[in-house]
Amino acid sequence: MEQRIGAYLHVINRNQLPDGTQVLHVTELPPPYSLIDGEEQHHQSIGNDWKDEIIEIKPIQDNLNRYGFTISGGIDSENGRAIVITQIDHCSKSSLDNGRTKLRLFDRILSINNINLTYATHDKAVQAFSSAHGKSLSLHIRRLNPVHIEYIDVVLPTDLLNQSLGINIIGGLDENDEDSGLFITYIDPNGLLGSTIKRNQLRVGDRLLEIKTNYTSANLQWVTHAMGVKLIQRIFQDHKRITLIVAHRNLT
């Protein structure tokens, strides 16, 4: 696997391993999930990982038919039934921010200017953008916004590198239309992860958000089940020091 410092692996082609994916630079992108704190935590249930927002986006000045982001998905799409933001154009300090810096990768678009896209085909979503005729957009988005996020550092003993990770996961784009996340359903206490991390750092029910090293980061929010498993296995095979980013959904 090619290693690039500060690189973010964003899987575009679902049929390839990271070697063939598009590389985005995380230094210019916000995290693909929200971190909440303060009073907001007290008003959000731990079982509700999602937050709705209304975001206003203006057309880009030099091209009134562009808004600076790309969508994917739709009820007729192999890339998931939801309409999802999969790329956000870089907004340099010299360019006018049209509102796109408020967006996050994998935000779900529920409506555009009150046009409901909850059960829309991809073409209907594209038509909704076109119908704005270069005017401002009012996006109703739903964003992954977990309450309790933990960064779990894993250092693998050299003599255990070929041992099974010892976890089972469910979910993915191809398994759940409402929430395509990957969730842990079983942890073997004698498996590689169960025996190398602190007790209760990783729990059954946790949502897997991201897996990263000092060189690369693979997001696990918007992948098929098979691709998520391959990404996790590949990074654990190639690296000894790994960080798992998880959202705890059960604190008992």
Side-chain angles (χ1 to χ4, degrees), residues 28-241:
E28 303 296 346
L29 290 172
Y33 41 82
S34 293
L35 299 175
I36 65 176
D37 53 18
E39 293 184 1
E40 189 173 354
Q41 283 193 2
H42 301 294
H43 298 288
Q44 181 172 341
S45 165
I46 190 171
N48 179 14
D49 287 344
W50 300 90
K51 175 184 178 182
D52 286 15
E53 291 188 29
I54 304 296
I55 297 177
E56 303 295 326
I57 307 290
K58 298 177 181 179
I60 295 177
Q61 280 191 332
D62 60 355
N63 188 336
L64 295 181
N65 292 318
R66 292 189 63 249
Y67 295 91
F69 62 93
T70 303
I71 62 170
S72 185
I75 59 173
D76 57 340
S77 171
E78 296 180 353
N79 294 325
R81 296 171 62 87
I83 303 299
V84 176
I85 294 174
T86 53
Q87 182 172 324
I88 304 169
D89 293 349
H90 169 63
C91 185
S92 67
K93 294 180 180 179
S94 60
S95 66
L96 177 65
D97 176 18
N98 65 330
R100 67 184 182 274
T101 56
K102 297 178 182 178
L103 299 173
R104 300 290 184 270
L105 288 177
F106 315 122
D107 279 351
R108 296 184 174 203
I109 301 178
L110 304 184
S111 69
I112 298 175
N113 293 344
N114 293 321
I115 299 174
N116 190 338
L117 299 181
T118 306
Y119 298 103
T121 63
H122 185 78
D123 285 346
K124 180 180 177 180
V126 172
Q127 291 170 6
F129 279 96
S130 300
S131 67
H133 301 297
K135 297 181 180 179
S136 295
L137 300 176
S138 177
L139 299 183
H140 179 186
I141 62 98
R142 181 162 293 163
R143 176 174 300 162
L144 188 60
N145 195 62
V147 175
H148 295 281
I149 294 177
E150 183 171 357
Y151 288 64
I152 302 174
D153 293 322
V154 183
V155 179
L156 301 179
T158 304
D159 58 337
L160 297 178
L161 291 181
N162 295 322
Q163 183 177 335
S164 170
L165 290 179
I167 61 171
N168 292 344
I169 61 174
I170 61 171
L173 279 173
D174 50 337
E175 292 196 5
N176 191 328
D177 294 334
E178 297 298 323
D179 189 334
S180 59
L182 297 176
F183 301 92
I184 295 176
T185 58
Y186 172 75
I187 303 171
D188 181 355
N190 299 314
L192 186 57
L193 282 178
S195 60
T196 55
I197 63 177
K198 295 179 181 178
R199 185 178 180 183
N200 289 332
Q201 271 193 302
L202 198 63
R203 304 168 183 143
V204 170
D206 281 355
R207 179 195 294 271
L208 296 171
L209 295 173
E210 195 172 346
I211 180 170
K212 62 192 300 184
T213 71
N214 289 333
Y215 304 97
T216 58
S217 175
N219 192 282
L220 301 174
Q221 288 184 58
W222 202 66
V223 294
T224 62
H225 183 270
M227 178 57 69
V229 170
K230 288 180 180 178
L231 285 169
I232 294 169
Q233 290 177 338
R234 183 65 178 268
I235 288 181
F236 269 97
Q237 288 171 0
D238 290 352
H239 303 276
K240 290 180 58 179
R241 295 179 178 271

